[in-house]
Structures are given as structure tokens and as C-alpha cells.
Amino acid sequence: MAKQTHAQWSSRLTFILAATGSAVGLGNIWKFPYMVGEGGGAAFVLVYLACVAVVGLPILVAEWLLGRRGQKNPVNTMLEVTRAEGRSRAWTLVGVSGVLAAFLILSFYSVIGGWSLSYTLQSVTGAFQGQDGDGISALFNGLLASPGILLLWHSVFMLLTIAIVARGVKAGLEGAVRSLMPALALVLLVLVGYGVFSGHFGQALAFMFQPDWSAIGGHMVLEAMGQAFFTLSLGMGVMMAYGSYLGTEVNLLATARTVIILDTLFALLAGLAIFPIVFGNGLDPSAGPGLIFVTLPLAFGNMTGGMILGLLFFLLLTFAALTSAISLLEPVVETLEERTRLSRMAATLVAGGAVWLLGIAALLSFNLWSGVSLAGLNIFDFLDKLTSKYLLPLTGLGAVLFVGWFLDRDRVIRELGLGRNGTLLWHIASRYIAPIGVIAVFVSSL
Ligand code: PHE
């Protein structure tokens, strides 16, 4: 029986909103468009879609299935499921590394969330107005060079995250996604609408959907698969934790399909909002990570209505980052709350406070501690690489291998409500394709 404190989502719809809120984040609005730009446009989009379908979907379903079985935090869920199925307790490591990954990722995710807050403010104070490329770059570099300002915004972002998570699954998480997700969709549509009338929409469409097949290569496939993994919030205990608040009546496959479609839609629309602005201002679509913090502000500062568009864009980014951040804090808080005697509020303060502290180390690596290196990387890059290269793939791989190979098969088939063809597909995807896909990304990234 689930502990009394263990909540349930009010409805399938709020679960979809929350899971989509987690999935849609910096990965969609920041990373996806620049990866499309670097990866040769439409060819990348197609490869990405294939990866999401054959690798992302099975792992997402596996994580939800485990969480729903356990009805507890990822660690206790794995303890419970391994015991019930008579499997080695070593599988509990999947839960442990998931929670650890969420903790570590949030520390630097919050720093970027802070950049987004800072840019939201700067877009209305006119900081971008009339700047040339050098001026805009100086603005961004200036932000990175100021520990105090980075700390301020990182702290504000973490406080917002903590305030939401402390209120629990229903009042906190659901309340936030109920208002933020529609706002997110609305702002994005306004930005795409602007793109449609800006005169450069066709160019953006062609860029994103006219494939240049020569761009497809091993490296690009691996990049696309890594992105599929990150954008669906896999391998970090997040989806397991969200699954633990699910009731048995929810159809996991259908829900996963919905969330994946929404997540992909947000990413594609983000591209269709950004590229018309990039082309319209004669800027470089393959600018890489600087695309939204340097390239776009340059455009916002030199176009009519740029202040409003800039404000909308950075609000969009901030909301998206916030609904992802709460999903990263949740597994850590759930674990603390259920494994110690701390109340929800205390557990959130402890977990959030620890994340905040680690985030300070991450933000100092851009300035005061830029000389500090771990394994040859500064702290920010170290946290990023440690999680994205090791913890995430290994956790996701563990989850899907465990579900595919070590759970009672008939029960899984019943839980997923599969027919004959579905069973065969699920079998092939969860046992072979998804694990092999993850292993390929993992090995190649080493
Ligand atoms: N999926 C989010 C994105 O695309 C990132 C994220 C990762 C969010 C892990 C939560 C947990 O930005």
C-alpha cells in the first residue's frame, strides 16, 4: 500500500500536462533549433523523429511502468519491484543513479534558467536595442563574467522551483503546469504567427523540412538519439517519479505517444519561431549554442516590435525551463520525503538548498573558478558531461533492460494492454532496439 503522503494525479490530462512540461524545456527551445541548424536541417529532423519513436518511446513507457508499479520514489520503487519479481537488488542502482542525475542536472539547469530570467528582464529594459554583434556578445560574456548577477538569477530561479515543489503534487506541480503550459503554447503560437507574416517563413520551412540527405551520418544519428533521450527527460528518475503518481487506469502507450507528439511539436514550432527571425535579419542559423542568447537578441534589438517579441521569447524559455526544473526536483524530494522523516516542506528545502549550493559551484566556473578543473573540464561542463554521457544513458538502459528482460512478460503485456502485433513490436523495441540504440550512443560518446 502506498504511503499516505503518496499523491495521485487528478486526471490523465494533468499528468499529460506535467509530463509534457518536463519534456518541453531548454532542450526544445534552445538545443533542438541549433542542432537542426548544425545538423543540416530536415535530414536531422527526420532522423530525430525516428529516434524518438524507436528508442525514446520504449524507455519512456518502461520508466512510467516501473514508477507506477512501485508507487514510490525511484529508489524504493526499484527495491519494491525487484523484491516482488525475485530479481537482484542490484537493479536498485537504476533508481539511485536516476535520482542522482536529477540532482546534478538541476544544479546547472537552474543556472541556465537564471540566464533566461536575466534576458527576460533585459529584453524590456532595452539592453538589446541598437546593439551590433559585438555589443550583444559583450552582453552575454558580461553576464557570464559576473558571479553576483549569475548568483542572483540562479537563486531566483531555484526559489521559484522550490516554492512550487514544496506545495506538493496537486497544489504545486499540477497548479503550475495548468497555468504555465497553456501560456507556453500561446506564446509560442504568437511567435510562430509573427514568423508566418515576417516574409521569411518559407525559408525557415525549407530549412527545416527540405532534407539534405548528404548530412546523414553516424555522428548525426548519435546526436539525434542523445537529444531524443534528453528531451524526453529520460534516465533521470523524473519519469519514474511522475509514473509513481499514476493510477492503473491510465494507458501508458497512448499517453506516451501523446506526450512525445506534443514535445516534438513544441520543438518544431520553436524552430519555426526562431528561424524566420534569424533569416529575416541575415543571421547565421548554425550559430550553435549561442543561437538564442546571442543571435536572437541581436535580431530583437534591431527589428520593429523587437522588444515585445524578445520579452515573449524569453518568457517562453523561462516557463519551459521552470516546468522542467520542478520535474527534476521532484524525484529528489520524493526520495528524501519517503526515506527520511522529513516533511514535504523540509525535504524540498533540503534538496533545493543542496541543488542551489552545487549550482553556485557551476556558475562560478564561468568566472572566479574558471581555473578549477575536474577531469580536465570546468565544473559546469563536468556536471553536464557526467550526467549526459554516463548517468542518463546508463539509467535509461537499466530501466528498459530491466523491464524488457527481467519482468514477468505476461504481466507487462497485460499492463500495456497489447494485442498480438503490439506484443511483438514491444518485445523487439524494448529488448533489442532501444537498448542497442542507447549502447551505441554511450559507446560512441566515450
Ligand atoms: N526535457 C528537458 C528539455 O528538453 C530537459 C530535462 C531533462 C528536463 C531532465 C527535466 C529533466 O529541456
Side-chain angles (χ1 to χ4, degrees):
M1 197 44 216
K3 198 170 126 179
Q4 236 184 356
T5 54
H6 208 92
Q8 291 241 320
W9 302 107
S10 318
S11 68
R12 178 167 175 263
L13 178 68
T14 47
F15 173 64
I16 289 177
L17 286 180
T20 307
S22 170
V24 175
L26 298 168
N28 302 60
I29 296 168
W30 169 57
K31 236 174 157 182
F32 183 79
Y34 87 70
M35 289 180 97
V36 171
E38 289 182 331
F44 178 87
V45 175
L46 284 177
V47 172
Y48 166 83
L49 291 178
C51 292
V52 168
V54 300
V55 179
L57 183 92
I59 301 179
L60 181 58
V61 169
E63 292 199 12
W64 283 349
L65 185 135
L66 287 171
R68 181 166 75 176
R69 284 237 189 138
Q71 296 282 306
K72 294 212 167 59
N73 65 80
V75 178
N76 289 28
T77 281
M78 290 307 291
L79 278 173
E80 190 122 332
V81 177
T82 48
R83 195 183 47 217
E85 299 266 331
R87 297 296 176 184
S88 160
R89 284 181 61 176
W91 287 104
T92 306
L93 271 178
V94 171
V96 175
S97 68
V99 173
L100 181 66
F103 175 81
L104 297 176
I105 292 176
L106 183 53
S107 71
F108 65 85
Y109 203 82
S110 167
V111 174
I112 306 179
W115 299 352
S116 181
L117 279 171
S118 152
Y119 269 58
T120 308
L121 184 69
Q122 299 205 54
S123 63
V124 282
T125 57
F128 311 144
Q129 298 309 308
Q131 297 276 10
D132 58 7
D134 289 342
I136 293 281
S137 299
L139 219 55
F140 188 56
N141 293 331
L143 174 67
L144 294 188
S146 324
I149 298 180
L150 288 176
L151 176 62
L152 170 73
W153 292 114
H154 161 59
S155 307
V156 173
F157 189 83
M158 268 323 288
L159 272 179
L160 289 171
T161 308
I162 290 171
I164 295 171
V165 174
R167 302 182 65 207
V169 172
K170 288 210 167 147
L173 271 55
E174 287 193 359
V177 297
R178 274 211 185 103
S179 45
L180 289 177
M181 293 311 287
L184 202 64
L186 188 72
V187 173
L188 188 55
L189 288 176
V190 170
L191 289 171
V192 174
Y194 173 85
V196 171
F197 294 107
S198 72
H200 294 270
F201 197 67
Q203 209 176 339
L205 270 182
F207 182 67
M208 288 184 65
F209 297 106
Q210 234 167 48
D212 163 15
W213 298 114
S214 67
I216 295 191
H219 177 70
M220 182 244 246
V221 174
L222 294 171
E223 289 268 301
M225 201 129 49
Q227 169 68 4
F229 213 80
F230 185 78
T231 192
L232 293 178
S233 308
L234 300 176
M236 32 203 132
V238 166
M239 290 304 184
M240 248 194 234
Y242 274 20
S244 77
Y245 304 119
L246 268 182
T248 46
E249 73 289 351
V250 172
N251 181 329
L252 296 184
L253 275 172
T255 309
R257 195 178 51 208
T258 306
V259 169
I260 288 180
I261 290 174
L262 287 172
D263 178 68
T264 305
L265 217 57
F266 268 98
L268 293 174
L269 287 174
L272 290 177
I274 291 172
F275 289 123
I277 299 177
V278 170
F279 291 128
N281 291 274
L283 300 169
D284 178 12
S286 56
L291 186 65
I292 62 172
F293 289 110
V294 178
T295 308
L296 279 184
L298 182 59
F300 293 139
N302 292 283
M303 61 202 268
T304 29
M307 259 199 187
I308 294 178
L309 282 180
L311 172 66
L312 287 178
F313 180 81
F314 286 108
L315 268 183
L316 171 77
L317 192 66
T318 304
F319 288 168
L322 195 56
T323 54
S324 293
I326 59 179
S327 79
L328 282 165
L329 191 53
E330 181 58 35
V332 187
V333 169
E334 189 189 24
T335 306
L336 263 189
E337 193 189 0
E338 291 174 355
R339 294 187 64 87
T340 67
R341 302 177 57 179
L342 295 179
S343 65
R344 173 91 190 177
M345 173 62 85
T348 312
L349 288 176
V350 171
V355 168
W356 176 74
L357 273 180
L358 186 59
I360 295 179
L363 68 84
L364 287 178
S365 60
F366 292 108
N367 36 69
L368 300 180
W369 290 3
S370 59
V372 179
S373 80
L374 291 165
L377 298 165
N378 70 32
I379 299 172
F380 189 96
D381 292 338
F382 177 78
L383 290 169
D384 179 16
K385 292 285 168 323
L386 172 69
T387 49
S388 64
K389 285 202 166 167
Y390 299 93
L391 288 177
L392 302 191
L394 289 179
T395 309
L397 181 65
V400 76
L401 279 180
F402 184 66
V403 172
W405 292 89
F406 296 95
L407 287 186
D408 179 73
R409 237 186 105 191
D410 294 337
R411 183 168 164 202
V412 171
I413 300 303
R414 253 181 291 125
E415 269 173 291
L416 297 182
L418 294 170
R420 261 186 81 199
N421 294 338
T423 302
L424 183 67
L425 278 178
W426 167 256
H427 191 68
I428 297 176
S430 67
R431 288 193 150 191
Y432 303 101
I433 300 183
I436 290 171
V438 180
I439 291 171
V441 176
F442 181 59
V443 171
S444 76
S445 75
L446 295 184

